Protein backbone atom coordinates (compact mmCIF):
# COMPACT_ATOMS: atom_id res chain seq x y z
CA UNK A 1 0.00 0.00 0.00
CA UNK A 2 2.80 2.43 0.86
CA UNK A 3 4.50 1.67 -2.46
CA UNK A 4 1.28 2.44 -4.38
CA UNK A 5 0.76 5.73 -2.53
CA UNK A 6 4.36 6.68 -3.23
CA UNK A 7 3.98 5.81 -6.91
CA UNK A 8 0.85 7.94 -7.25
CA UNK A 9 2.53 10.84 -5.45
CA UNK A 10 5.64 10.51 -7.62
CA UNK A 11 3.49 11.04 -10.70
CA UNK A 12 1.14 13.69 -9.27
CA UNK A 13 3.73 15.96 -7.65
CA UNK A 14 5.48 17.01 -10.90
CA UNK A 15 2.05 17.73 -12.44
CA UNK A 16 2.06 20.92 -10.38
CA UNK A 17 4.51 22.28 -12.97
CA UNK A 18 1.64 22.45 -15.47
CA UNK A 19 -0.12 25.43 -13.82
CA UNK A 20 3.20 27.30 -13.83
CA UNK A 21 3.64 26.65 -17.55
CA UNK A 22 0.05 27.73 -18.24
CA UNK A 23 0.51 30.91 -16.17
CA UNK A 24 3.63 31.85 -18.12
CA UNK A 25 1.92 31.24 -21.46
CA UNK A 26 -1.25 33.17 -20.53
CA UNK A 27 0.69 36.19 -19.28
CA UNK A 28 3.25 35.91 -22.07
CA UNK A 29 5.91 36.74 -19.51
CA UNK A 30 8.33 34.90 -17.28
CA UNK A 31 9.95 37.97 -15.73
CA UNK A 32 8.74 37.07 -12.22
CA UNK A 33 10.61 33.75 -12.32
CA UNK A 34 14.29 33.72 -11.43
CA UNK A 35 16.51 32.30 -14.17
CA UNK A 36 19.02 31.10 -11.57
CA UNK A 37 16.24 29.18 -9.78
CA UNK A 38 14.95 27.61 -13.00
CA UNK A 39 18.39 26.61 -14.23
CA UNK A 40 19.44 25.41 -10.76
CA UNK A 41 16.43 23.14 -10.35
CA UNK A 42 16.70 21.88 -13.92
CA UNK A 43 20.42 21.25 -13.55
CA UNK A 44 19.82 19.21 -10.40
CA UNK A 45 17.05 17.26 -12.14
CA UNK A 46 19.40 16.45 -15.02
CA UNK A 47 22.16 15.38 -12.62
CA UNK A 48 19.71 13.13 -10.72
CA UNK A 49 18.29 11.62 -13.93
CA UNK A 50 20.87 8.85 -14.41
CA UNK A 51 20.17 7.62 -10.89
CA UNK A 52 16.44 7.62 -11.56
CA UNK A 53 16.68 5.96 -14.95
CA UNK A 54 18.79 3.09 -13.66
CA UNK A 55 17.06 2.62 -10.30
CA UNK A 56 15.11 -0.52 -9.50
CA UNK A 57 12.84 1.60 -7.29
CA UNK A 58 9.72 2.23 -9.37
CA UNK A 59 8.67 5.30 -7.36
CA UNK A 60 12.04 7.05 -7.85
CA UNK A 61 12.18 6.10 -11.53
CA UNK A 62 8.66 7.40 -12.26
CA UNK A 63 9.20 10.61 -10.32
CA UNK A 64 12.46 11.25 -12.12
CA UNK A 65 11.00 10.75 -15.59
CA UNK A 66 7.82 12.76 -15.05
CA UNK A 67 9.62 15.55 -13.20
CA UNK A 68 12.36 15.85 -15.82
CA UNK A 69 9.85 16.04 -18.68
CA UNK A 70 7.54 18.56 -17.01
CA UNK A 71 10.27 20.76 -15.57
CA UNK A 72 11.90 20.84 -18.99
CA UNK A 73 8.56 22.30 -20.12
CA UNK A 74 8.93 25.00 -17.45
CA UNK A 75 12.45 25.78 -18.66
CA UNK A 76 11.29 26.04 -22.28
CA UNK A 77 8.39 28.32 -21.33
CA UNK A 78 10.61 30.56 -19.20
CA UNK A 79 13.26 30.85 -21.92
CA UNK A 80 10.68 31.39 -24.65
CA UNK A 81 9.07 34.34 -22.90
CA UNK A 82 12.33 35.69 -21.49
CA UNK A 83 13.87 36.08 -24.94
CA UNK A 84 10.98 38.20 -26.27
Amino acid sequence: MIEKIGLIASIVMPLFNIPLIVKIIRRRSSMDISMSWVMGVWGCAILMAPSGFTSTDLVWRCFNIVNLVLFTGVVIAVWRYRIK
Side-chain angles (χ1 to χ4, degrees), residues 40-74:
V41 172
W42 192 52
C44 290
I46 289 172
L47 292 173
M48 289 186 306
S51 170
F53 296 155
T54 60
S55 177
T56 58
D57 182 10
L58 183 61
V59 173
W60 176 238
R61 194 170 353 130
C62 286
F63 170 76
N64 224 284
I65 293 167
V66 176
N67 189 51
L68 189 61
V69 168
L70 290 176
F71 203 80
T72 297
V74 171

